[in-house]
Amino acid sequence: MAFDAFHLAELLLTQPLQIIVGSKIGAFGSYRDGHELFEKAPGKKDLLVIDGASHYDLYDQPRYVDRAVRQLAGFYRGNL
């Protein structure tokens, strides 16, 4: 038995979706998962890949976090 976090994503993700990942591919799988979720999700969606960032850089590295926050602010303005 295995857990599939994206099971039924194509049916359940009916709201606008913003996905942000770093371009550095690590062992955690977030880069791959972000792209997989983007492909499965229907409707309005956006994928931002932040060049040079790893998954963990997006937690606390200002140059990457600031880029993600700017993207999210615009996404929220347009969708909330």
Side-chain angles (χ1 to χ4, degrees):
M1 197 179 335
F3 174 72
D4 180 359
F6 304 142
H7 178 66
L8 300 178
E10 57 277 350
L11 298 174
L12 299 176
L13 285 176
T14 59
Q15 68 281 2
L17 177 66
Q18 174 67 67
I19 299 170
I20 300 174
V21 297
S23 68
K24 285 187 182 176
I25 300 171
F28 183 68
S30 60
Y31 181 87
R32 180 195 66 239
D33 290 348
H35 283 82
E36 180 183 343
L37 184 58
F38 183 78
E39 292 302 317
K40 287 186 173 193
K44 187 173 183 178
K45 58 189 175 181
D46 186 66
L47 172 66
L48 172 64
V49 179
I50 299 182
D51 191 42
S54 72
H55 175 79
Y56 297 108
D57 289 334
L58 295 172
Y59 288 7
D60 61 2
Q61 298 299 312
R63 68 180 186 213
Y64 302 126
V65 173
D66 292 348
R67 175 69 180 102
V69 169
R70 283 193 307 274
Q71 180 75 14
L72 287 169
F75 181 78
Y76 292 146
R77 273 193 301 275
N79 293 289
L80 291 180

